[in-house]
Amino acid sequence: KRGSEHMAQVGAIMEYGLFVELSNGVSCFVHKSRFGVGAKKVFDTIEEGDDVMIKIIEFNKSNQRLNASLIDF
């Protein structure tokens, strides 16, 4: 649901953002512009498998993926 906050697990770290997975198996993408803090800090701190708090922003119809912002890590 748009605007809802969820704990998610980092699945992949890419130079342009993070792919995370919700507990129900749904995949989300967090673009680095939506980190809320400096991207360098996130990339230096987060590792695959880490839990992060995200907020759902939208459903991208073109790639059938949820887009989210990073709230806390």
Side-chain angles (χ1 to χ4, degrees):
K1 182 176 177 183
R2 187 177 182 182
S4 60
E5 297 180 1
H6 303 271
M7 186 64 73
Q9 187 174 57
V10 176
I13 301 170
M14 312 301 282
E15 64 184 53
Y16 47 85
L18 305 172
F19 287 95
V20 299
E21 188 172 308
L22 301 177
S23 60
N24 62 3
V26 173
S27 180
C28 301
F29 176 68
V30 182
H31 190 270
K32 66 181 180 180
S33 66
R34 300 218 184 249
F35 284 174
V37 296
K40 181 170 175 25
K41 180 178 179 183
V42 173
F43 288 133
D44 287 347
T45 306
I46 290 181
E47 296 180 1
E48 289 182 16
D50 285 353
D51 290 328
V52 294
M53 183 65 75
I54 61 164
K55 183 176 184 177
I56 304 299
I57 297 186
E58 66 182 351
F59 178 70
N60 186 324
K61 292 179 183 177
S62 66
N63 61 15
Q64 301 290 301
R65 185 172 56 214
L66 289 170
N67 291 327
S69 62
L70 185 64
I71 297 174
D72 195 15
F73 58 96

